[in-house]
Amino acid sequence: MSLTTIAVEQLSKTFGRTTVLQDVDFEIDAGDMVALIGPSGSGKSTLLRLMVGLTRANREQRSRVTIMDRAVQQRGKLTRCSRAERCRVGYIFQQYNLVGRLSVLTNVLIGHLGSMPRGRALLGRFNRQERLRALEALSRVGLESLAGQRANTLSGGQMQRVAIARALVQDADIILADEPIASLDPRSAREVMKILQRINEEDGRTVLVTLHQVEYAREFCRRAIALKQGRLYYDDSIQHLTDARLQALYDDEGLCELFDRRPQQPDTITQPAAAGAAL
């Protein structure tokens, strides 16, 4: 019997007079890799922000978000969570959220801050074991040789891999990735998706990734959740996500473009020869 790691119930969100999400319900089992898809403006990013408590749902409705059996928010009110509980969810942003002037290694070490004693965390003092874990995480994403370089010298694909390494150091049970490949070229996008897939398969971490590229969702994810105009449109196996359903989801607009983005690069992740090399 699979354990539920994420549960969303009657989730609605309105900004002013604009309804972004309306009565969204779904559950995600432990160890699953799920693609969250839908047209621009369908509420994907807002949904992820609600799931980690960065945004509050509408207060007048019976909404509830539960992560690892702990309520994140109920009826638009955030619940109190310990630092350890917050660390169980890693959030990967589209624009990386790295500190450009700091080294790659230090950016990865930041993933330790939530689990460190407050005194050491405030001073940014990391011990040998924490540094070794950060180097191991960089090795898993193919960037150990760039540990000493400033983050702002890296390409977009390299930056996103550093962000993934930071989530690995955080030791999160769940990884939420908000359009992590939207700004990347096809080769870099495929490398990032393969890393997320490997983390899911080797570590058993639950991964929810928002995607505009449907073909990447079909290749790397086992399940798809689709939003359309703020409502749940589809929630099923990726194998049942037919072209006809996609056409109805996207209303023909931009559909050809989505299907033209078919990854053609080899599977292997190669170590970049130099920082900042174009990917």
Side-chain angles (χ1 to χ4, degrees):
M1 182 178 179
S2 299
L3 298 176
T4 299
T5 58
I6 301 172
V8 172
E9 305 170 40
Q10 300 182 35
L11 196 60
S12 298
K13 179 60 181 178
T14 302
F15 292 105
R17 296 182 179 180
T18 303
T19 299
V20 180
L21 292 170
Q22 189 166 353
D23 297 325
V24 174
D25 289 90
F26 63 84
E27 294 183 352
I28 296 177
D29 291 335
D32 206 353
M33 183 157 179
V34 182
L36 179 61
I37 63 173
S40 296
S42 59
K44 302 185 298 298
S45 294
T46 299
L47 176 57
L48 258 63
R49 292 177 65 84
L50 285 162
M51 290 169 63
V52 292
L54 294 175
T55 303
R56 299 183 184 187
N58 295 346
R59 289 198 173 188
E60 65 272 14
Q61 293 166 304
R62 296 177 177 270
S63 62
R64 180 182 172 93
V65 177
T66 305
I67 303 288
M68 304 287 291
D69 295 325
R70 172 78 184 201
V72 175
Q73 59 174 288
Q74 299 183 73
R75 295 192 175 191
K77 294 183 179 180
L78 301 180
T79 60
R80 291 186 178 181
C81 297
S82 67
R83 287 200 301 161
E85 288 172 331
R86 288 195 297 270
C87 285
R88 300 179 78 179
V89 181
Y91 199 99
I92 297 172
F93 297 84
Q94 178 181 342
Q95 296 302 327
Y96 327 124
N97 259 31
L98 303 183
V99 183
R101 62 183 175 81
L102 299 181
S103 70
V104 167
L105 180 61
T106 302
N107 272 279
V108 176
L109 284 166
I110 287 172
H112 280 301
L113 292 179
S115 58
M116 290 169 56
R118 290 186 183 274
R120 280 206 299 122
L122 289 171
L123 295 173
R125 293 181 177 175
F126 304 99
N127 60 34
R128 183 174 181 274
Q129 183 179 3
E130 289 160 350
R131 291 179 179 275
L132 288 175
R133 286 190 60 193
L135 287 171
E136 180 183 356
L138 280 171
S139 178
R140 291 192 68 183
V141 300
L143 294 179
E144 184 178 12
S145 65
L146 303 183
Q149 291 194 196
R150 287 168 60 115
N152 58 12
T153 66
L154 304 183
S155 68
Q158 292 168 338
M159 287 185 182
Q160 197 58 283
R161 286 150 67 182
V162 173
I164 295 173
R166 182 178 57 198
L168 288 175
V169 161
Q170 185 180 328
D171 200 23
D173 298 294
I174 299 169
I175 293 178
L176 304 180
D178 188 10
E179 298 187 20
I181 63 174
S183 303
L184 305 182
D185 63 83
R187 181 183 179 86
S188 300
R190 195 162 199 272
E191 289 178 343
V192 167
M193 288 303 300
K194 285 194 70 66
I195 291 171
L196 290 174
Q197 183 186 53
R198 190 165 66 243
I199 290 169
N200 168 254
E201 293 177 349
E202 294 178 0
D203 301 359
R205 303 177 201 256
T206 305
V207 177
L208 175 61
V209 53
T210 63
L211 293 168
H212 278 298
Q213 301 90 332
V214 174
E215 288 306 308
Y216 286 103
R218 281 177 160 171
E219 180 177 359
F220 293 102
C221 300
R222 293 184 290 273
R223 174 181 166 196
I225 295 173
L227 298 176
K228 183 175 183 179
Q229 296 178 349
R231 292 181 176 272
L232 189 66
Y233 168 83
Y234 178 89
D235 181 6
D236 203 348
S237 167
I238 201 75
Q239 296 177 347
H240 300 150
L241 189 59
T242 63
D243 290 356
R245 282 176 168 160
L246 285 169
Q247 185 170 350
L249 172 63
Y250 289 97
D251 290 330
D252 293 332
E253 183 178 355
L255 188 63
C256 293
E257 180 185 353
L258 287 166
F259 279 94
D260 285 343
R261 296 178 183 172
R262 298 177 184 273
Q264 300 293 335
Q265 301 298 331
D267 292 351
T268 56
I269 298 175
T270 56
Q271 193 102 329
L279 292 183

